[in-house]
Amino acid sequence: MANTTVSLFIQCLVDSMFPEVGEAMVTLFDRLGIPCRFPPDQTCCGQPAFNSGYRREAADAARHFIAVFEDAEVIVCPSGSCVHMVRHAYPLLFADEPAMLARAEAVAARTFELSQYLVDQLGLVEVGASYHGTVTYHDSCHLSRGLGVIDQPRQLLKGVEGLTLIEMRDSDTCCGFGGTFSVNYPEISTAMVDTKIDNILASGAGAVVGCDISCLMNILGRLSRRGEPVQVLHLAQVLAGAGQGGGQ
Amino acid sequence: MNSEEKFFATVRTALGQAADGERPAKLFPQLFASPDPRPALARIAARGPAELAELAETLLAAATENRITTYQVSSLAEAEAVVVELVRQTDPEFSHTRHLLCHDHPDIAGLRLWQRFSRESVAVHTSFSQDQQLREKTIAACIGITAPEIAIAETATLVEISGPGRPRSTSLVPSIHVALLRSEKLVADLEEAYALLGQRQQLDSFVFVTGPSKTADIEATLVHGAHGPCELHIILLSEPTLPGDTAHSAQPAESAKQREDTPESTAPPEAG
Amino acid sequence: MNRPSQSNYTREAIKGIASTTLQTNLRSFQERLGQGAMRMWVELADPEKRRRVKASRMRTLDHLDIILASLAEKVRARGGRVYFAETAQDASDYILAVARKNQVKRVVKGKSMTSIEIGVDPVLEAAGIEVVETDLGEYIVQLAGEPPSHIIAPCIHLDRRQIGRLFADQLGIDYSEDPPTLTRAARHALREKLLSAEMGLTGCNLACAETGQISLVSNEGNIRMATTMPPVHVAVMGMERVVATMAEHRETLQLLTRGAVLQKISTYVSFVGGPADTPGETREFHLVIVDNGRSKILADPEFREVLACIRCGACLNICPVYGKIGGHAYASAYCGPIGAVVSPLLEGINKHADLCKGETLCGACKEVCPVENDLPRMLSALRHKLAYGSDQWDTRQMNPAEAFAFRLWRHLVTRPALYRAGLRLAALLQRPFIGKNRMISRMVGPAAGWTDSRDLPPIARQSFAARWRQKHPPTPDVAKKTAENSGEEKV
């Protein structure tokens, strides 16, 4: 299994705004000796359109995604919500197209979120990372409730040398991102992320770690505006050993 | 087509059926099929004194959680003493005189409350269904006494089944509800209670009562005594078993027989 | 934050967020009940129960004509009357006719969302009939002249001081902020109403076709009063609030009280289906079964599931959006996640477009729902109707500009080269906005929604794709494969 070539499915936000997260994933795979490739024609899984109701546009994005990744042995993504999209929305989009549905389901079955792949597929919980400091973990909605991935990231974090995981209160409560929701209903979204941030601060951890850059971008954006010094890290960055530590 | 037929036509169309294609219930017996109640009924019937004592313990514990005051007695005489003490302590909430309202039930009649209070200013009424003043008496009452036919041990829930002589309002309108409960009436859980209810030919109106009325609408602060009784007292009567007794016989237990001082009639005159 | 096009939803949401009372009460309510329910389902001794009840709810819906006919037959056999109301107007007219026939001057109500949905109160009041809510929370909001803001805690947005002042003003009692004192004042004031009313008007938690009874769940006893003491009792129910058998009733009830308040059973569960046996108690029973748009929901396989809802309110107790904005923003008889799905379906998708769009689809409501209703899926389906319009749902496209934007987006994401070029262009265009902290703190147009309260990380100078290409120049083999893939695209 460890020799299986991983096709990197780099969420569009990671690709464009947080490329270092993608690089951290590559660093990690290199260290673990997992061969990987990056299908260069990938764009976006279609989630923004789907969540806004634009299913025709989402379906076209999905067709593109399936064409790009169809020949992949295994597809790994640093985002729970994108994997959720592929696994749970694609079959819905092609419910009336048996041929596409079969292709979508075949791709969906080979698509994994990073921590899910490492722990469930490869049986890895120690990946040789070190991080000196305390972190708290934010459960993103589509990863925890949608895909049932709750323990895997925690197991990986606990396997990081020098890292102390402090659970925050209501770690699985939505951060208020919700895609276009965050722009269309900013007052509600901000009230929600404020609660999330209060819980992060109350945990006393030096950094918040998550598996979805969209939530992390929301948390980071508000932390930055509030002038709070807590670091925001994607799990891949911690596992790559690329994090700088909370200095605690 | 009248409005009811039109309503059903719309529903049928929504379900992809022909609008006029009435589907008779008897063609869909599986819709109304229920799990076999016999295992539950057999469980209830097989309970001996030891098991009933266990259920009693469960009920007493659950009662405490639900702010129910409980008393364990082994005879109607003891039950009577409990009621008398309670009545003497009670300040009527809605009238000047203390009115008691009792369901028409042999066990309650067996308490002979009208005799006990004949020299006190306590009015004891029985809820005979032909009594045209019953509503006024109910509204004036500070205590309503019932003898429930079923009680659920797990949650300390009384099943009050109404019918002639057993109005719905007796356990509701007076400030205090007292239930005289024979331990043979205990079942373990809701499932057993439903099994017993299912045995009745025509289900009367009935109510599950678990504790005194309560509300938490003001800042989630729990307050007992909303629009129903402020207090619920369960007097749990466990008499020494007689041979041939079975739990949950079809008829209410004829307990009065076991007392020497049996009242002459189950229709006592009203005092006060 | 005062954007020009603030909707009612946003305005009410902002009010809710600004109310410290609401925030404090909702937080403690959600912590206790919502999270409690989540834990309770995990620990449920019989984990199949939720699936069984869901299956029985769906089976009932699939055979609703049969089960309703059976219910009506049994209620009539008990001496009750049954009226099937196609619309809200029909239902209100019938109730008013019953009131008039019985010379009703005062109606006491048990908490009923369906009665709010059909708007019967104003109809009765217009006919000179006094309508009194008797659930304490409903009574309080009625005195305050406000709508309820939670299914089971209608006055959760008010604190004890506000209620104390309200009672002092309206009931003429001395000011108090002691909940037992206030409760006693309401108990005495409402007892008069409950005992003198000529009609009780309640909802119905669950009707049972097998026995021809409705059942009502309450803790306060007001519903028992309203169904017992007035000479006439009218119960109004949405046509889906029915189970076939007592066995189904039992399991559904168990989920209802657990979902609502974590109770194994509530203080009172009463079963009535006809006149009482005792003189001086209810002598006339009417059951009004309401369609009012439900058959349309029933007809649509995408939404039929929402009729399986047992109205426990658990989704309100977990929803992080409701937890911030409270019930008034929903502007409907039904609030919270269930309201966000059912209100648009009953009253119009365009009318309630904000309810369809104003959630994060976090999925907590689905997880806490006793019958595991997939509300996020249905919200997504509602958005689908808004995206393109729907004749079936009499819905027009909500936002042609947004629709155009997504068509453009499709054009980009299905053409990798164009997509990459677009990203590079966006990276250039954003430059003037990037601040010293390497963050964008002010944008214009819709994007200001983000930057009004949050910073935005900029688009990286070099995307991951570009960085990868630099490190891994394409080999002829990979290049060929990529070309093949591109050739397969359907755009």
Side-chain angles (χ1 to χ4, degrees):
Chain A
M1 196 82 195
N3 292 325
T4 309
T5 298
V6 165
S7 288
L8 300 173
F9 161 20
I10 301 297
Q11 178 192 18
C12 54
L13 288 179
V14 169
D15 175 64
S16 59
M17 295 165 84
F18 300 89
E20 62 278 14
V21 171
E23 289 182 313
M25 202 159 114
V26 175
T27 306
L28 173 65
F29 284 160
D30 284 349
R31 190 168 70 224
L32 295 171
I34 300 169
C36 53
R37 63 187 271 268
F38 176 75
D41 284 349
Q42 60 183 286
T43 55
C44 169
C45 65
Q47 193 180 188
F50 181 77
N51 285 351
S52 295
Y54 294 91
R55 294 195 177 176
R56 286 174 216 153
E57 286 76 5
D60 284 342
R63 281 179 228 281
H64 177 76
F65 180 94
I66 291 165
V68 169
F69 282 98
E70 206 156 31
D71 61 348
E73 281 182 279
V74 64
I75 303 153
V76 179
C77 175
S79 160
S81 68
C82 301
V83 174
H84 183 261
M85 174 75 192
V86 173
R87 289 193 160 210
H88 295 277
Y90 281 16
L92 207 77
L93 287 172
F94 299 119
D96 299 327
E97 285 180 64
M100 266 318 290
L101 182 62
R103 290 172 66 195
E105 284 176 341
V107 167
R110 298 198 301 274
T111 306
F112 302 93
E113 184 275 334
L114 173 63
S115 70
Q116 191 183 27
Y117 184 67
L118 292 175
V119 176
D120 295 350
Q121 299 299 307
L122 302 185
L124 289 171
V125 287
E126 289 203 13
V127 295
S130 69
Y131 177 93
H132 295 282
T134 53
V135 305
T136 190
Y137 176 72
H138 164 66
D139 287 277
S140 48
C141 300
H142 289 152
L143 182 66
S144 62
R145 278 182 288 273
L147 298 173
V149 175
I150 295 163
D151 290 335
Q152 294 89 327
R154 291 181 165 82
Q155 285 173 280
L156 288 162
L157 286 173
K158 285 173 190 160
V160 173
E161 191 212 327
L163 181 146
T164 309
L165 175 64
I166 309 173
E167 290 290 346
M168 72 171 108
R169 174 176 206 161
D170 302 339
S171 65
D172 66 347
T173 298
C174 179
C175 72
F177 175 69
T180 51
F181 171 85
S182 60
V183 177
N184 292 334
Y185 303 96
E187 296 84 2
I188 308 172
S189 176
T190 303
M192 290 166 75
V193 74
D194 271 338
T195 300
K196 177 60 69 181
I197 285 175
D198 293 343
N199 289 334
I200 292 168
L201 296 177
S203 78
V208 54
V209 179
C211 295
D212 263 282
I213 210 69
S214 36
C215 311
L216 295 178
M217 181 173 82
N218 188 34
I219 294 169
L220 171 68
R222 185 62 181 161
L223 276 171
S224 164
R225 183 60 61 90
R226 282 173 54 168
E228 302 289 356
V230 179
Q231 249 197 313
V232 179
L233 293 169
H234 190 282
L235 179 73
Q237 293 171 291
V238 177
L239 298 185
Q244 294 150 11
Q248 286 168 29
Chain B
M1 205 189 284
N2 69 25
S3 69
E4 186 164 330
E5 286 163 352
K6 206 163 151 239
F7 185 103
F8 275 94
T10 310
V11 173
R12 278 187 214 107
T13 309
L15 293 172
Q17 304 289 322
D20 57 355
E22 190 179 336
R23 301 195 279 176
K26 45 175 172 304
L27 294 186
F28 296 84
Q30 76 283 2
L31 280 181
F32 297 94
S34 295
D36 188 355
R38 278 173 302 184
L41 293 171
R43 251 191 339 265
I44 297 167
R47 271 194 194 109
E51 287 98 337
L52 285 174
E54 258 176 55
L55 288 186
E57 287 306 315
T58 309
L59 175 115
L60 294 170
T64 310
E65 280 174 37
N66 288 305
R67 190 78 69 105
I68 300 167
T69 313
T70 51
Y71 313 84
Q72 284 180 279
V73 299
S74 55
S75 69
L76 279 178
E78 283 179 46
E80 177 190 324
V82 169
V83 175
V84 169
E85 185 56 29
L86 189 63
V87 171
R88 290 192 173 141
Q89 284 172 6
T90 300
D91 267 337
E93 189 182 2
F94 301 111
S95 63
H96 298 295
T97 318
R98 276 173 289 186
H99 290 266
L100 260 62
L101 185 69
C102 304
H103 266 179
D104 180 11
H105 188 282
D107 280 346
I108 303 174
L111 299 178
R112 307 201 322 155
L113 294 170
W114 76 96
Q115 275 189 358
R116 283 302 300 258
F117 291 116
S118 61
R119 272 183 227 91
E120 294 174 50
S121 65
V122 175
V124 181
H125 312 285
T126 299
S127 55
F128 298 116
S129 54
Q130 60 274 40
D131 183 350
Q132 294 302 317
Q133 272 79 54
L134 192 54
R135 185 181 165 98
E136 289 67 36
K137 290 172 183 168
T138 306
I139 291 171
C142 56
I143 297 182
I145 306 180
T146 66
E149 286 298 300
I150 304 171
I152 302 164
E154 186 188 9
T155 46
T157 299
L158 306 170
V159 183
E160 294 282 352
I161 304 174
S162 63
R166 301 186 310 277
R168 302 176 188 178
S169 49
T170 312
S171 62
L172 172 67
V173 177
S175 315
I176 297 174
H177 173 203
V178 177
L180 177 58
L181 175 67
R182 287 190 169 272
S183 59
E184 304 92 275
K185 305 293 182 188
L186 286 173
V187 297
D189 51 25
L190 207 57
E191 188 189 349
E192 292 186 0
Y194 271 72
L196 284 179
L197 288 166
Q199 290 308 102
R200 295 182 167 249
Q201 287 300 315
Q202 163 83 22
L203 273 171
D204 300 298
S205 133
F206 56 91
V207 56
F208 298 146
V209 176
T210 311
S213 77
K214 66 185 184 213
T215 182
D217 276 350
I218 302 176
E219 287 192 7
T221 309
L222 189 61
V223 178
H224 286 88
H227 305 297
C230 303
E231 295 175 24
L232 173 57
H233 298 256
I234 296 179
I235 303 172
L236 185 61
L237 173 61
S238 313
E239 284 184 317
T241 329
L242 295 176
D245 266 12
T246 53
H248 284 285
S249 53
Q251 294 301 313
E254 292 287 345
S255 58
K257 270 187 287 191
Q258 295 155 28
R259 288 172 52 89
E260 284 168 26
D261 52 346
T262 303
E264 44 292 323
S265 155
T266 52
E270 290 185 356
Chain C
M1 288 200 194
N2 291 316
R3 283 162 303 122
S5 60
Q6 259 182 14
S7 62
N8 176 64
Y9 180 70
T10 296
R11 271 195 311 278
E12 289 294 326
I14 291 171
K15 272 194 231 165
I17 292 166
S19 159
T20 39
T21 301
L22 182 73
Q23 295 302 313
T24 311
N25 290 354
L26 280 178
R27 195 179 312 127
S28 70
F29 211 74
Q30 288 202 327
E31 273 167 16
R32 191 162 55 88
L33 294 181
Q35 296 182 12
M38 287 283 201
R39 281 192 297 275
M40 183 181 58
W41 298 139
V42 174
E43 292 158 9
L44 200 64
D46 178 4
E48 283 306 304
K49 185 177 277 178
R50 291 168 78 190
R51 248 139 280 155
R52 262 198 320 274
V53 171
K54 177 61 165 287
S56 82
R57 293 293 298 138
M58 294 310 291
R59 188 169 56 243
T60 297
L61 294 171
D62 294 344
H63 302 87
L64 197 58
D65 53 331
I66 302 166
I67 287 168
L68 285 178
S70 188
L71 171 69
E73 188 192 319
K74 291 279 170 53
V75 172
R76 284 166 180 154
R78 292 171 160 278
R81 322 248 176 103
V82 183
Y83 177 72
F84 286 91
E86 200 172 346
T87 64
Q89 183 72 48
D90 290 348
S92 293
D93 288 350
Y94 178 81
I95 296 168
L96 178 62
V98 172
R100 283 207 165 121
K101 196 171 145 254
N102 288 281
Q103 280 126 40
V104 171
K105 294 180 205 64
R106 176 179 285 161
V107 171
V108 280
K109 285 185 70 190
K111 186 168 50 192
S112 156
M113 283 176 286
T114 315
S115 75
I116 299 175
E117 175 197 324
I118 62 170
V120 65
D121 293 14
V123 170
L124 293 171
E125 282 163 354
I129 297 168
E130 184 193 7
V131 180
V132 187
E133 291 285 358
T134 61
D135 172 87
L136 179 59
E138 295 280 350
Y139 180 59
I140 290 168
V141 297
Q142 191 185 35
L143 287 181
E146 289 174 1
S149 63
H150 189 285
I151 290 181
I152 59 161
C155 65
I156 195 167
H157 58 289
L158 299 173
D159 65 25
R160 61 181 77 196
R161 283 169 294 279
Q162 292 166 302
I163 296 166
R165 279 194 295 277
L166 191 66
F167 276 25
D169 287 350
Q170 306 249 350
L171 301 184
I173 62 161
D174 291 341
Y175 174 80
S176 166
E177 50 188 65
D178 173 43
T181 305
L182 294 169
T183 302
R184 208 171 315 117
R187 169 181 171 83
H188 286 255
L190 285 171
R191 186 176 166 99
E192 291 308 309
K193 308 272 186 193
L194 285 162
L195 295 177
S196 62
E198 297 87 3
M199 182 195 272
L201 178 58
T202 70
C204 159
N205 288 102
L206 279 177
C208 177
E210 185 184 17
T211 64
Q213 287 176 314
I214 64 161
S215 62
L216 289 153
V217 175
S218 82
N219 285 319
E220 295 187 2
N222 63 312
I223 290 180
R224 282 185 72 198
M225 283 281 206
T227 59
T228 303
M229 300 313 281
V232 180
H233 170 209
V234 178
V236 50
M237 64 177 262
M239 67 178 190
E240 79 285 11
R241 312 240 70 72
V242 59
V243 295
T245 65
M246 281 295 270
E248 289 175 6
H249 186 281
R250 174 173 57 80
E251 295 210 311
T252 313
L253 171 71
Q254 287 173 322
L255 293 188
L256 172 63
T257 58
R258 280 170 168 84
V261 279
L262 317 179
Q263 289 175 342
K264 279 185 182 165
I265 192 160
S266 57
T267 306
Y268 302 120
V269 183
S270 39
F271 297 73
V272 293
D277 294 312
T278 305
E281 294 187 347
T282 299
R283 57 176 160 75
E284 228 176 273
F285 172 70
H286 298 258
L287 180 59
V288 180
I289 301 175
V290 180
D291 181 334
N292 197 33
R294 286 166 175 78
S295 51
K296 205 169 166 187
I297 302 176
L298 192 65
D300 191 330
E302 262 191 311
F303 297 115
R304 182 177 292 184
E305 184 185 10
V306 81
L307 298 175
C309 169
I310 57 174
R311 296 282 189 275
C312 68
C315 56
L316 280 66
N317 297 339
I318 202 74
C319 175
V321 172
Y322 174 84
K324 290 295 169 200
I325 69 178
H328 288 163
Y330 296 81
S332 150
Y334 308 99
C335 56
I338 179 64
V341 173
V342 91
S343 304
L345 292 174
L346 289 176
E347 295 174 12
I349 297 176
N350 286 116
K351 179 183 170 192
H352 288 298
D354 275 314
L355 301 191
C356 308
K357 305 281 265 186
E359 292 80 20
T360 63
L361 307 183
C362 80
C365 50
K366 179 188 174 193
E367 202 167 87
V368 84
C369 176
V371 293
E372 298 173 315
N373 264 356
D374 198 342
L375 294 174
R377 177 188 65 72
M378 289 185 267
L379 284 170
S380 163
L382 284 168
R383 294 176 186 186
H384 182 207
K385 311 284 174 218
L386 283 169
Y388 305 110
S390 158
D391 289 340
Q392 189 192 347
W393 282 96
D394 202 16
T395 298
R396 58 180 194 284
Q397 185 173 60
M398 176 188 156
N399 187 342
E402 186 186 74
F404 177 77
F406 273 107
R407 280 201 297 278
L408 194 68
W409 171 91
R410 176 205 12 217
H411 204 74
L412 290 174
V413 299
T414 52
R415 289 170 180 77
L418 205 57
Y419 175 80
R420 295 275 152 216
L423 270 183
R424 283 192 298 274
L425 180 65
L428 275 178
L429 292 177
Q430 67 173 358
R431 274 198 184 164
F433 296 95
I434 302 175
K436 281 198 291 281
N437 59 350
R438 290 291 304 151
M439 285 283 193
I440 299 171
S441 56
R442 211 173 74 80
M443 291 194 297
V444 289
W450 181 282
T451 50
D452 276 346
S453 59
R454 286 160 291 204
D455 292 340
L456 183 71
I459 295 170
R461 286 202 191 91
Q462 212 181 10
S463 69
F464 175 84
R467 295 180 194 194
W468 176 274
R469 199 166 46 244
Q470 234 169 33
K471 285 184 202 149
H472 308 82
T475 59
D477 181 45
V478 172
K480 185 166 156 273
K481 219 168 194 175
T482 308
E484 277 168 11
N485 275 346
S486 304
E488 274 175 26
E489 282 168 32
K490 291 184 204 155
V491 286

